[in-house]
Amino acid sequence: MQLDLAAVRVAAAAFPKPEAFKPSYGTAGFRAEASLLPSTVFRCGMLIGLKARSCGQACGVMVTASHNPEQDNGLKLVEASGEMLEPAWEAHATQLAQADTEEQLLQVLAALAATLQPADTPGRVIIGRDTRSSGADLAAACSAGVAAVGGKVSDIGVVTTPELHFTVQTFNQYQALEEQAYFTNLLESFRTLTAGSHAPQPPLHVDCANGVGALKLQQLVPQLQQLGLQLQLYNAGQGRLNHGCGADYVQKEQCFPAGMGDLPAGACSASIDGDADRVVFFTKGQDGSFVLLDGDKIAALAAVYLRRLLSHAPPGTADSISTGVVQTAYANGASTRFITEQLGLQVRCTNTGVKYLHHEAKAFDVGIYFESNGHGTVLLKPSLLQRLQDMDENMSVMQLLAVSRLMNQAVGDAISGLLLCDAVLRSGTSLAEWQALYTDLPSRQLKLVVADRTVITTTDAERRCVTPAGLQDAIDAAVAKYDLGRAFARPSGTEDAVRVYAEAGSQEAADALAREVAGIVFDCCGGVGSRPEHSCGVL
């Protein structure tokens, strides 16, 4: 593919890379303090512009830092399929973003372009952003990058991350950029799933993280009310993004988000994150305690519901369909036992990061994945959808097809997950019954800083350490002291830290095991600062 490198040089000069800034494309794309990012976003615009030109379809860029504070920003790159960027291109993104000089940048870009052939159709890049104040300027930098390599841009403004993925996917199918298509898909699917149960229900209280999800849910409130779902929105833009609110805050801190602590006991509540790709549920116990229903619980609820729908499909359907749940090492052990022992479904464990879970879930006819943080979806294999479409219609078949439309097939979607859970709760499963599916083992997550987190390498889906020598043996010895104990340590994929997870038969034991393992990591891996017993940060 030919490039006008002189034009690229001129365009790149407007977006110099900060000295010593070495961004790396990780599980969540690029993230950093927003003022550091113009060069990175410009260069990613060039990268995704080349990809779009080479495949002749639309690709995407979402400018967001998800659940990070307002002052941060970042971006995620989207394939023409609507799915996350393929790993080989993650390496290209990192190489381009880290090029220190103009000459290095042009050399890397030209080398990549030389491996590509332009398609017969030009392709385009669809750019979206969340509500951060830095988003518009970064989107403009991305557009400049696309233009520098001869690409076309469609900037669709402020959208949720899953909406951007949906738009890329549907544009390549129907050549349309209509936001209403996203809303119509959600509403009509929800209508089918709740057929016969559109009588008014108690309100669903939703913490919107003061993010883009609030804008989109506000547009859906009137139509959902006609279908019997009353949404009460909190943290809907009046406060700081992700500050004391949002799915990440609620799940990690296990406490009520700002403004929702006074809700009555038993009120069904949910929290989405800043770019609306995560959702967790919560309620208040009769004793005033905080009760979390995290991604593990959402996966379990979805598994119960889909298993029921399959059992009511035409005879023989369920027996010929593979259904599985994909988890990471962070999934609570009680959830794994419930899915395998009570539901009789397969569970597979992958490395942390939705790209790994999504890939593994596609191996099943019905693949369910939700990380504990609430990021996930339900995938139905295209061959299964065709089988269902060819069957005689009954309500279960229609609702299985509706699940495939409601649940984003490219990426996790907080609004989709919110509506699916509400539909299941209307179908005969109460909030109390959902809570009682299983009881989580007490757990604790900690993080600490070491001199070089890359000295830790792992295997068995990040559940066991390979290096440094002796680390895993010491962790095993610590775990053996605790009833129902389990623990692991892994280098973070999103920040310069090591993460420790522990669970045990009591909260006191889980806390003690986490501290002990964190201390072992500190000693074996060159810990920085105070030893964890005194200052290790709770996630």
Side-chain angles (χ1 to χ4, degrees):
M1 184 182 295
Q2 295 296 315
L3 293 178
D4 183 345
L5 293 179
V8 170
R9 185 189 297 274
V10 171
F15 304 98
K17 185 177 81 67
E19 189 174 350
F21 183 47
K22 292 287 187 181
S24 180
Y25 198 98
T27 300
F30 288 113
R31 287 188 195 173
E33 198 278 321
S35 66
L36 297 172
L37 287 171
S39 66
T40 301
V41 176
F42 170 80
R43 295 172 183 196
C44 284
M46 292 196 294
L47 180 75
I48 205 70
L50 290 179
K51 191 174 231 310
R53 286 187 60 196
S54 67
C55 71
Q57 294 183 285
C59 297
V61 178
M62 181 66 195
V63 179
T64 181
S66 189
H67 56 274
N68 282 34
E70 159 73 25
Q71 65 268 23
D72 292 348
N73 217 321
L75 82 163
K76 303 173 184 179
L77 302 176
V78 180
E79 295 280 349
S81 64
E83 296 184 1
M84 292 163 280
L85 187 68
E86 61 178 292
W89 281 71
E90 291 181 3
H92 295 320
T94 296
Q95 195 176 14
L96 273 174
Q98 292 187 356
D100 284 321
T101 66
E102 273 188 8
E103 294 307 319
Q104 289 175 349
L105 174 62
L106 295 176
Q107 185 178 14
V108 171
L109 189 69
L112 175 60
T115 67
L116 305 173
Q117 292 294 327
D120 293 335
T121 53
R124 73 175 64 209
V125 175
I126 301 173
I127 301 174
R129 65 184 189 275
D130 69 14
T131 54
R132 295 166 198 269
S133 57
S134 58
D137 286 345
L138 290 176
C142 184
S143 294
V146 177
V149 296
K152 294 184 176 182
V153 171
S154 293
D155 188 330
I156 60 173
V158 175
V159 293
T160 70
T161 290
E163 187 180 352
L164 184 279
H165 284 259
F166 176 90
T167 301
V168 170
Q169 190 176 56
T170 54
F171 180 84
N172 286 325
Q173 294 170 331
Y174 309 114
Q175 305 299 301
L177 283 172
E178 298 177 4
E179 183 177 47
Q180 188 56 43
Y182 174 72
F183 294 130
T184 299
N185 183 69
L186 292 174
L187 290 165
E188 293 308 311
S189 303
F190 183 70
R191 184 191 304 276
T192 300
L193 291 178
T194 57
S197 59
H198 292 161
Q201 304 285 324
L204 173 58
H205 304 271
V206 184
D207 159 34
C208 300
N210 291 311
V212 63
L215 302 179
K216 305 307 173 181
L217 283 173
Q218 285 165 351
Q219 292 178 252
L220 288 170
V221 163
Q223 296 98 317
L224 288 172
Q225 189 162 5
Q226 294 175 10
L227 298 176
L229 174 54
Q230 301 177 63
L231 293 181
Q232 296 289 332
L233 305 184
Y234 302 77
N235 302 309
Q238 306 90 340
R240 291 162 57 191
L241 178 68
N242 295 321
H243 182 70
C245 57
D248 187 70
Y249 172 83
V250 168
Q251 187 254 339
K252 293 291 192 337
E253 299 298 328
Q254 299 202 16
C255 65
F256 297 103
M260 298 184 71
D262 293 333
L263 290 176
C268 187
S269 308
S271 181
I272 65 178
D273 70 335
D275 66 336
D277 64 356
R278 298 182 183 189
V279 61
V280 296
F281 280 71
F282 60 93
T283 190
K284 181 184 287 187
Q286 294 301 319
D287 60 355
S289 61
F290 174 81
V291 180
L292 177 68
L293 296 109
D294 63 3
D296 293 341
K297 275 278 169 69
I298 294 173
L301 183 69
V304 167
Y305 180 62
L306 289 161
R307 186 169 173 262
R308 185 165 75 230
L309 290 183
L310 287 167
S311 71
H312 293 146
T317 301
D319 295 337
S320 63
I321 291 173
S322 64
T323 303
V325 178
V326 185
Q327 298 182 328
T328 71
Y330 288 105
N332 195 278
S335 72
T336 308
R337 283 191 287 277
F338 171 76
I339 293 164
T340 56
E341 297 173 11
Q342 300 298 315
L343 300 184
L345 299 179
Q346 296 182 61
V347 171
R348 295 183 186 174
C349 190
T350 72
N351 288 358
T352 301
V354 289
K355 62 185 179 184
Y356 301 112
L357 287 98
H358 192 89
H359 175 77
E360 194 66 35
K362 290 170 72 174
F364 294 102
D365 292 324
V366 179
I368 303 163
Y369 74 87
F370 281 88
E371 292 185 292
S372 301
N373 61 28
H375 194 158
T377 191
V378 177
L379 303 180
L380 276 72
K381 192 174 284 187
S383 58
L384 172 60
L385 296 178
Q386 187 59 58
R387 285 177 57 191
L388 293 172
Q389 289 164 358
D390 292 341
M391 290 179 184
D392 292 337
E393 284 192 359
N394 70 22
M395 184 53 71
S396 291
V397 169
M398 292 171 62
Q399 290 181 329
L400 283 166
L401 290 169
V403 169
S404 75
R405 294 190 297 271
L406 175 67
M407 299 304 289
N408 197 308
Q409 298 296 287
V411 72
D413 186 329
I415 298 176
S416 293
L418 190 80
L419 296 178
L420 178 67
C421 290
D422 183 81
V424 178
L425 293 176
R426 292 197 205 191
S427 71
T429 301
S430 69
L431 181 62
E433 289 170 335
W434 183 13
Q435 292 175 239
L437 289 179
Y438 61 84
T439 301
D440 279 327
L441 286 168
S443 65
R444 177 64 65 201
Q445 293 185 51
L446 303 177
K447 68 179 177 182
L448 66 154
V449 178
V450 298
D452 179 8
R453 75 183 191 275
T454 64
V455 301
I456 300 178
T457 59
T458 63
T459 188
D460 189 23
E462 301 179 308
R463 291 177 289 190
R464 298 188 65 80
C465 295
V466 177
T467 61
L471 175 59
Q472 187 59 51
D473 288 342
I475 293 174
D476 289 342
V479 168
K481 301 175 188 177
Y482 297 87
D483 181 43
L484 299 177
R486 182 172 75 92
F488 63 87
R490 56 175 286 272
S492 172
T494 58
E495 61 180 312
D496 192 18
V498 175
R499 300 184 185 276
V500 170
Y501 175 89
E503 61 185 41
S506 70
Q507 190 62 59
E508 182 180 9
D511 292 346
L513 177 55
R515 288 194 299 270
E516 185 169 353
V517 171
I520 291 168
V521 173
F522 187 92
D523 295 338
C524 290
C525 305
V528 175
S530 301
R531 206 170 184 275
E533 292 95 333
H534 305 294
S535 64
C536 194
V538 177
L539 288 182

